[in-house]
Amino acid sequence: MTSVEQRKMVQQLKQKITKMNAEERAFFVMSAKRDKDDEELDSLSMKQLIQLHNKFFPKHSKDELEEKWKKFTSN
């Protein structure tokens, strides 16, 4: 993962910091500081950052979105 992607994830997660529990918030603050200092995260920290990002910004498949749209428009 590049530093640009890492920076983008950190910027997006800043919006969700109020929804994080204490453990997630502590990890995020540490990651944000390392990102601000232009440090690369190690592989374990990068995995945790990806998991945290996926928790708050889940990726949906096209089929799921179409199904939800059909339910929404049929009502």
Side-chain angles (χ1 to χ4, degrees), residues 2-72:
T2 65
S3 60
V4 174
E5 292 171 330
Q6 173 183 326
R7 185 168 307 246
K8 189 175 181 180
M9 286 175 145
V10 170
Q11 291 298 320
Q12 289 177 339
L13 284 170
K14 282 183 182 180
Q15 301 167 358
K16 302 291 184 177
I17 197 165
T18 57
K19 295 183 179 182
M20 295 179 191
N21 62 31
E23 183 180 321
E24 293 169 341
R25 190 176 302 120
F27 169 74
F28 174 73
V29 169
M30 182 267 313
S31 297
K33 286 180 183 178
R34 289 177 68 182
D35 183 61
K36 184 178 179 184
D37 294 337
D38 292 328
E39 290 183 33
E40 288 285 329
L41 295 177
D42 59 352
S43 61
L44 180 61
S45 296
M46 186 56 69
K47 285 180 185 177
Q48 289 177 332
L49 183 65
I50 291 170
Q51 287 175 347
L52 189 61
H53 186 268
N54 289 339
K55 178 180 178 181
F56 290 103
F57 297 97
K59 295 181 181 175
H60 299 286
S61 70
K62 185 177 179 181
D63 294 334
E64 287 178 19
L65 295 174
E66 286 177 353
E67 181 179 322
K68 288 180 182 180
W69 179 254
K70 286 178 184 177
K71 286 182 182 178
F72 178 73

